[in-house]
Amino acid sequence: MRSGRAETGVPLPDYKVVEGTGSLLGQFKVTPTILPDVSCRRPFLGRCCAKCLPISRQMYFDNDITEIAGLQDVLKVELDQSFRSRGIIMRPFCHITHVITCDNSHKYHDVTKAVLNSFRVNEAIEKTRDEDKPKRQLEKRAQSLVLTLKAKISKTLVRLTAWVLLKILGRILSSIQVQEGQMAMVKQASQSDSPLLFLPIHRSHLDYILIAFILFNHNIKIPYVAAGDNLNIPFFSSLMKGLGGFFIRRRLDQTPGKKDLIYRAVLHSYMAALLERGAYMEFFIEGGRSRTGKALKPKGGLLSVVVDTYVDGHCPDLQIVPISISYEKILDGNFKREQMGELKIPETFFGAIKAIWRVLTSSYGSVRVDFAQPFSLQEYMESASTSGSTPIRRNSIPNKPTKDHLKRVGSGSSLYGTDIVLEDQRQMVNQLANHIIHTCVQTQPMMSTSLLAFLLLNKHRQGVSMVELVASFDWLKQEVLNHNHDIGFVGETQDVIEYAATLLRDELVSVEIKQKASNTPEYNNNVDNIFLTPTTTLPNVFELAYYSNTVITVFQLESVIACSICAVADLDLFTCQGQSSEECTISRNEVLEKASLLCDYLQYDFTFVSPCQDLQLELSDALEKLVNGSIIEVVENEMTGDRRDQEYAQRLAKSFAQNDSDEEDGGEIDQQYTINLTDGECIEKFKFLQNVLSPFIETYWLVAFSLTKLLHSDKPETEFIKEVHQYAFDRVEKGMAYFAESVSMDCIKNAMKVYQHLKITEVYFNGNRNDTKMIGLQDRYNDRETLQMFIHSIECFRM
C-alpha cells in the first residue's frame, strides 16, 4: 500500500493479474469514497452579473455568506441538541424525526376557478367559437384541460416522499452536496414577498424532485414543477402531481400548422395565476434533458409567460434562481441509441419500474447542486435593452394590450404564439434565457468523472500511464480553478482517478497492468505499471464524451482561438514541430475575425458569453492567455510595448462603456504574432486546445459538405438527416474520421439549425403534403462555387 493512503481512508483497488500482455489486467473490486471536503471553503460562484444586476448582486450577499462557503451533505441528517440528548431512543428514527420537524406549513392554492374565469381563456374560447363549435363544449374542454394540467400538492405526501428519498438516495448516492452560503441566500430570498422561480439545467429525471427535496430539507416552500407529458404515466404522474408537478405537452398544438388556442391560454393562465398568488415555480429552461452533457440552447416559451405575468402587473416582482446540477455518474442510463440516430424509447410504467430497479442496484457517486444568487426580474427588465430600442419598463405597459403598443410574433414551438407580445420583449426574453444558461454553466463544478473523461479524450486519447495521468490531472484541476470554476471532489489524485474510473466502468475506461518478467504483487501494485485507455469507438464513445463535454466550457474560448490560429496560418500541428517560428506569422485581426466566425457556427452548441458581454473582448482576452502561455509570441518592435498598453487601456475602457455601439474603436494597429514551434510543451498545449472543439468542427464540416447533395434538388428533411448521419458513420467505419464522436446526431441537428439560421439552407413544408418538411439551399448558395466557398470557411478549422 502506498505511503499516505491510510490517511485518506481510501483503499487501493485490488488488481487481478491475467496472463498475456495487453489483456484487461485489473478490475476495481473496492469502490473508494471520494467526497467533497465539507469543512473547506469553496470558491463562491454564481454571483449576479455586475453589469445587468448591480442591485441584486448586493442583495443577500455579505461577508457572513463567504464565511459559510463550505459544503453540506443533504443526506446527512443532523438533529438539534434537544433530540440528540435522547440518545439511542431517537437514533433509529432520526430520518422520521427530521422529516416531521421540517417546516411544511406553506400554503398551496387551487387556482382552477381563476384560470377558467381569466380573460385569456375566455378570449381563446370566443376565438375558437368562430369555427362553429358550441361555446359550452369549448368551456367543458377548457375545464378538462385545467383538471388534467394542475398539480395537487399534498403536504403528507411531501413529508412521506422526503423520508423515502432520505432512505433510497442514501443507498445509491454517496452524497447530495449543496453550498451552505448559496442556500443561505436562497433562504433569505424566500423570506421576501416575491415568488421564487427556480431554473435548473436538466440532466436527469431525478432533477424533478431533487430541487424540491433540497428545499424541503431547508424549510423552504417547494415549487410547482413543469414536466413534459412524456412522464404522464400511471402511478408516477399521480405521485409527481402530489409533489407539485404539472404536465405540459411536448407539442402545444395537436394539429400541425394549427394553434390550439384554448390549451395555450389555459397553460398561460395557470402559470400566471400561481405566480400571482406567490407560488414558487420551477421549470427547465433547456426544455429536455441534455443528451451530450453540454447545456442546450434555452427555450423562451415558459419564461415568456413569467415575463408576461410581471409586465401585465399581476406580479410585482420575482426572484429568479439559476441552478446547476452535476452528477458524477448518469442516473438515466446513457443516450447512445439516440446519438446513433435511433428513436427515443417512450417512457412507460414497466420501463420506469425497470429503470428504478437498475438504479437501486447500482452506485452513482455524488451529486452537486449549486444555487446561483437570486436576482430581481424587475431589475433585469429595467436594465435590459435591445439594439435600437429602449428598455422595457413595467409602468409603460398597459394592463390590457393595445394595438398601438404591440405587434404579433408567432412561434410554432414555444408559448410566444399564445399572445401578442412586444418584439422588444421577445428579444429580451431570449437574452434573459441566455443569461440564465450562461450563469448555470459558469456556476457548475467539475466532477471527477468529467475531468478524467476530458483528459482521456483530449490529451491522452491513445492511453496513458497512471504516473503521467496523475500529473495531467493535477494540471487540469489547477486550470479549472484558475478559470474561476469549482471542482466537486477532494482527495489524493490517484485515489480520485481510480474512483472516477470505477464509476465510468470498463466499457468506457480500461485499466491494465503492463506485465513483465517480474510478476510479483509488489510489481503489480506499482503505480508505474498501471495503464488507462479510453474507449473511442462507437457507440460507447458518446457516453465518455457526455462526461467530457462538461469541462469544455473552461477552455472553449481558448480552443476557438487555437483553431482560428491554425486556420489563419494553414498549420498542421502534427507535422510542424521544429519549424522556424518566423515561418508562421499571423495577424491578430485575422485571428479574431476567424474566431468570431467559428463562434457563429458553433452558437447552437455553446454559450460563449452572456448577452451583456462583448464577444470580441472575451476573444481578445483568450488570445492574450495564449500569449502568456508562450504558445504564440508577439513580434516585437519599438512600438510594441506602447501599442499593447494602449490596446489594453482601450479594451478596459470599452468594457465599462455604457453604449459600446456609439464609441469609436480608436484605430487599433494590427498586432503580429509568431507561433512557438520549437517548444515541445507549448506544441502539446496547442494540440490539446485544438482537440477540445475538433469533434464538433468535424461534424459541422461533414454536414456542410453534405449540402452539395441539395444543389438544385430539395429533399425531405428527415431523409437528408439520415443521409448525413450515415455518411458520418461510414467515415468512422473506414477510418477516415479521427473523432468517432463526430457521428453525434445532436451535433448534426445543431449544425443544420445553424445553417438555416445563417440562411444557407431553408426549411419549408411541402405544398402537396403539409406534414412533410423539406430542406433546400437558399438561392445564393444554390451555386456550386458559392457553396464550396462556404464549405471551405468551415474546413479551414479542421485538424
Side-chain angles (χ1 to χ4, degrees), residues 557-573:
L557 288 177
E558 290 167 71
S559 180
V560 166
I561 294 296
C563 293
S564 301
I565 290 173
C566 290
V568 170
D570 193 19
L571 183 65
D572 184 351
L573 292 176

Side-chain angles (χ1 to χ4, degrees), residues 40 48 51 227 249 323 327 429-430 445 451 502 589 612 615 641 719-720 755 771 774 778 781 788-789 799:
C40 72
C48 290
K51 184 175 183 180
R249 295 178 187 165
I323 302 173
Y327 293 89
V429 170
N430 285 334
L451 291 191
T502 304
N589 288 348
C612 63
L615 178 60
E719 178 184 324
F720 180 70
Y755 298 156
D771 60 342
M774 304 293 291
Q778 294 273 7
Y781 292 93
Q788 287 295 341
M789 292 175 61
M799 286 181 57

Side-chain angles (χ1 to χ4, degrees), residues 515-555:
Q515 189 176 18
K516 295 183 180 179
S518 175
N519 186 15
T520 64
E522 291 77 12
Y523 176 87
N524 292 329
N525 282 332
N526 192 328
V527 65
D528 296 333
N529 310 315
I530 303 174
F531 199 82
L532 288 83
T533 307
T535 297
T536 57
T537 56
L538 295 173
N540 287 341
V541 68
F542 290 131
E543 188 174 353
L544 197 60
Y546 180 99
Y547 295 100
S548 170
N549 288 341
T550 307
V551 191
I552 290 179
T553 183
V554 178
F555 300 97

